[in-house]
Amino acid sequence: MSERHITITDNKSGKSVDLEVKTGTHGPPTVDVSGLYKDLGYFTFDPGFMSTASCHSQITFIDGDEGILLYRGYPIEQLAEKSNYLEICYLMTYGALPSPNQLENYSSMIVHHTMLHESLKTFFNGFHYDAHPMAIMVGVVGSLSAFYHDSTNIQDPVCREISAHRLIAKMPTIAAACYKHSLGEPFQYPRNNLSYCGNLLHMMFSVPTEEYVPDPIAEKALNLLFILHADHEQNASTSTVRLAGSSGANPFACISAGIASLWGPAHGGANEAVLDMLHEIGDVASIPKYIAKAKDKNDPFRLMGFGHRVYKNFDPRATIIRKTCHEVLEKLGDQSNPLFEMALQLEEIALQDPYFQERKLYPNVDFYSGIIYKALGIPTNMFTVMFAIARTSGWVAHWMEMISDPRQRISRPRQLYDGAATRDYVSIDQR
Ligand code: SDX
């Protein structure tokens, strides 16, 4: 037994066991309960995983009380100011900032995987024009495994790397195709001379009939948003990717599962829900009424974009995005954006209310991001798709970390069963 452990004792049976305390680089110590059932015949009980560390990881660290977010040890504030999204993808996957040559090779690798198999395009015709793009993303990304058999041998590190490149490269192409499908416009091929974000804007907004040059302001804003959304430790969608991957499922199916989980309004779907909420509130005068609804336990209404399972302080990403909102709206000549004004008022009023203060409910990453996406001309139902593109770098990094960990086993939680006790079958004529 290591020199540090916790002893737990059942005061009824008198049985006790020493549980090893494991500590990491940052963050609270953990109690290793993996042997608890074998040694003491008990499960731990932690619905929603409020106090559960599900794995080892070296990718992202969050300190919710201090509002700290690190990608591979680098503070998000420094990366947001100095890095770019493709460099973050490299950092997530390989664990170190790339040299100029490494970044050039990596960028070239990604650029040359951006096209889709031509047969894949027919999948979109199976969806109505008004299908939610996240529904299309779940289907089309999952179907990639039908086209790339050559890179689904997850035990081969080369296959894992190619799959990672394909996923990061193709997400913008698939996302843009979802948008074009909704418009009935032709899909635009990626352009190898454009940046990752510039290419996405080109594939979404260009048409065959005229030249299109991505707006550098929009390109810069997207790049920042993608950096801020790239990863976030063991959030619901990343945990979904890890759980799916633990069974040996192919990476495309795992990322599709992650997209499905991200779609929920309590998670990545919140950015779309924030805009819908601001439209529902309508004007600043109505804010108090909606704050009251958010506090009313009998009312299902929640203030979307507020609160976080981990952050009990400002979400550092929200702070950066709020600042960018000002800059982007100013440059796009949209300073008097009523939605942004209302969001600022809503934040101010909520943060003065004891209900939000006592529960440490602050704006999260989703509160302001939709306002920027809307200012860039991206439709509300594409906001979570933008989140999915950005988070693919994190999902892929966690999937690779898990699969290449020799300690990795299938994840299979247990339960506290409080259903019917054992009973005999009653034939229908006796019921
Ligand atoms: C993301 O995990 C991640 O890292 C996620 C993410 C990432 O990058 O991957 O950061 C991205 O998903 C951000 C969160 C986006 N979701 C929303 O903005 C939806 C609105 N927020 C809530 O649904 C909620 O705050 C959650 C889901 C984010 C967190 O839920 P928890 O941790 O389970 O907290 P809870 O529901 O137990 O709430 C605690 C209390 C409750 O009141 P009491 O029962 O104590 O009286 O706070 C209240 C809740 O009713 N509360 C809210 C609220 N959020 C929590 N009340 C009103 N409005 C809210 N938004």
Side-chain angles (χ1 to χ4, degrees):
M1 178 57 65
S2 77
E3 73 283 359
R4 186 178 173 190
H5 62 267
I6 283 178
T7 302
I8 60 167
T9 303
D10 181 337
N11 64 343
K12 296 290 185 199
S13 69
K15 287 170 51 176
S16 75
V17 67
D18 293 339
L19 299 172
E20 181 184 355
V21 173
K22 292 176 179 290
T23 52
T25 316
H26 295 310
T30 63
V31 180
D32 184 347
V33 296
S34 52
L36 185 63
Y37 180 60
K38 178 169 60 61
D39 299 342
L40 200 63
Y42 289 69
F43 294 151
T44 57
F45 183 68
D46 185 15
F49 306 123
M50 305 286 282
S51 305
T52 294
S54 61
C55 61
H56 287 269
S57 185
Q58 300 178 342
I59 299 170
T60 294
F61 174 72
I62 305 170
D63 182 325
D65 296 326
E66 299 302 320
I68 291 171
L69 170 56
L70 308 176
Y71 290 165
R72 297 287 189 180
Y74 296 100
I76 191 66
E77 294 80 4
Q78 294 179 29
L79 295 172
E81 185 188 337
K82 299 171 180 171
S83 187
N84 64 72
Y85 180 68
L86 265 196
E87 183 175 78
I88 297 295
C89 292
Y90 184 98
L91 175 64
M92 287 289 169
T93 303
Y94 299 105
L97 290 172
S99 67
N101 190 42
Q102 285 169 329
L103 185 57
E104 187 184 341
N105 291 338
Y106 181 74
S107 301
S108 172
M109 189 73 73
I110 296 297
V111 156
H112 290 93
H113 276 298
T114 50
M115 286 178 71
L116 300 180
H117 193 292
E118 289 292 308
S119 303
L120 195 65
K121 295 180 179 178
T122 59
F123 278 50
F124 291 82
N125 297 330
F127 294 95
H128 285 177
Y129 75 94
D130 59 354
H132 195 289
M134 284 296 278
I136 304 176
M137 291 294 288
V138 170
V140 173
V141 172
S143 73
L144 289 174
S145 49
F147 290 83
Y148 298 113
H149 308 290
D150 64 327
S151 68
T152 52
N153 172 11
I154 59 173
Q155 300 314 324
D156 178 347
V158 174
C159 278
R160 295 201 292 266
E161 192 173 31
I162 293 172
S163 294
H165 293 155
R166 279 175 164 152
L167 281 158
I168 290 170
K170 295 181 193 306
M171 285 292 277
T173 313
I174 295 169
C178 292
Y179 178 56
K180 285 301 195 188
H181 178 70
S182 72
L183 300 176
E185 289 184 4
F187 297 172
Q188 295 294 79
Y189 285 103
R191 293 264 301 279
N192 291 355
N193 64 322
L194 295 175
S195 73
Y196 190 86
C197 294
N199 216 356
L200 173 60
L201 292 166
H202 153 71
M203 291 187 284
M204 284 186 71
F205 298 118
S206 72
V207 288
T209 51
E210 56 192 46
E211 278 306 303
Y212 174 84
V213 178
D215 179 336
I217 296 169
E219 204 170 337
K220 184 168 179 281
L222 263 190
N223 186 58
L224 172 65
L225 288 171
F226 282 12
I227 290 173
L228 296 174
H229 285 81
D231 191 52
H232 215 237
E233 193 206 73
Q234 304 308 323
N235 58 85
S237 54
T238 300
S239 299
T240 301
V241 171
R242 280 181 171 261
L243 195 69
S246 74
S247 73
N250 74 73
F252 305 102
C254 295
I255 300 305
S256 173
I259 295 170
S261 172
L262 183 75
W263 192 5
H267 189 15
N271 54 17
E272 177 177 353
V274 165
L275 259 290
D276 294 342
M277 174 186 72
L278 292 174
H279 283 301
E280 183 187 344
I281 293 174
D283 57 42
V284 172
S286 306
I287 289 176
K289 182 179 84 174
Y290 281 86
I291 294 274
K293 281 169 62 69
K295 292 158 57 175
D296 178 357
K297 292 302 172 201
N298 299 316
D299 189 326
F301 177 81
R302 281 200 161 180
L303 217 48
M304 301 316 282
F306 261 77
H308 198 278
R309 169 60 56 78
V310 175
Y311 288 123
K312 300 309 170 191
N313 193 324
F314 255 89
D315 180 335
R317 302 167 298 174
T319 306
I320 296 168
I321 292 176
R322 184 193 321 117
K323 179 171 167 289
T324 305
C325 255
H326 273 298
E327 293 162 8
V328 170
L329 295 176
E330 201 171 298
K331 287 177 185 165
L332 294 178
D334 196 7
Q335 295 92 317
S336 63
N337 182 304
L339 290 176
F340 184 48
E341 293 311 315
M342 197 191 311
L344 289 171
Q345 292 278 340
L346 185 54
E347 176 190 334
E348 188 181 334
I349 296 170
L351 294 185
Q352 286 164 10
D353 188 300
Y355 173 93
F356 292 88
Q357 292 170 345
E358 288 155 12
R359 292 165 179 80
K360 299 186 177 180
L361 302 176
Y362 293 91
N364 58 50
V365 68
D366 293 305
F367 188 62
Y368 286 103
S369 55
I371 293 169
I372 298 182
Y373 285 136
K374 188 168 179 58
L376 302 182
I378 294 167
T380 307
N381 70 358
M382 283 289 289
F383 290 177
T384 310
V385 173
M386 295 291 120
F387 196 149
I389 295 172
R391 186 53 56 89
T392 297
S393 58
W395 288 333
V396 158
H398 281 274
W399 174 77
M400 291 179 84
E401 180 178 68
M402 177 200 62
I403 290 292
S404 52
D405 183 343
R407 296 163 296 193
Q408 191 269 327
R409 308 168 69 188
I410 190 166
S411 297
R412 203 273 185 224
R414 301 303 302 274
Q415 62 179 9
L416 173 63
Y417 175 73
D418 49 12
T422 306
R423 53 185 170 169
D424 294 327
Y425 181 81
V426 177
S427 60
I428 192 157
D429 56 357
Q430 301 296 317
R431 288 178 221 159

